Amino acid sequence: MAIADVKKNAQAKMDKSVAALGEELKKIRTGRAQVSMLDNIRVNYYGTPSPLSQVASISTPDAKSFLIAPWEVSILKDIEQAIIKSELGMAPMNDGKVIRLKVPDLTEERRKDLAKQVKKIAEEARVAVRMARRDANEEVKKLQKDKAISEDEGKKGEADVQKLTDDYIKKVDQVADEKEKSILTI
């Protein structure tokens, strides 16, 4: 195993951390309707908990509402119950054919809480990136100890891993800042 492999492994782990951050941040709602906000809702479909997107068509007719049209009208009540049980804080309006959801406006206090949540999730991603750096540095030290690489190569490898870490920390900060801005803007 060479330093290039160590860097490649570290980069793969850091990519996963940034991707996981993006997925976590999708779950935090802003004041706008986004279909991803409903990803966690499971509907009882013939005894099987199924994702809402698999039993209904979901659209956003405007920035503040959802339109949920089930494939089968018979599961309308199940969808309604699943939405009520979820922690979305939205009341479903059922007209017998489709369900409409209005995204409530966020209060200033709620926006600040969501911004804190974003900071916490971003910090978890930074920690994951740093752990990938630690693992990579340990592998470089092991290569040095096993005499597979020279001391100079080891120092250069650690410097390269640190540069990679800095780049990924910047990416995490950038993604988190964008989400925070979208939450705090009205």
Side-chain angles (χ1 to χ4, degrees), residues 142-176:
K142 187 177 182 300
L143 287 172
Q144 243 179 294
K145 191 176 143 200
D146 296 344
K147 304 278 188 229
I149 59 171
S150 70
E151 198 174 315
D152 287 346
E153 287 174 315
K155 282 192 168 86
K156 186 186 180 317
E158 285 181 10
D160 290 349
V161 168
Q162 183 59 49
K163 185 183 180 320
L164 194 63
T165 303
D166 294 342
D167 292 345
Y168 275 89
I169 294 285
K170 280 182 191 156
K171 281 184 188 177
V172 166
D173 291 343
Q174 190 177 3
V175 169

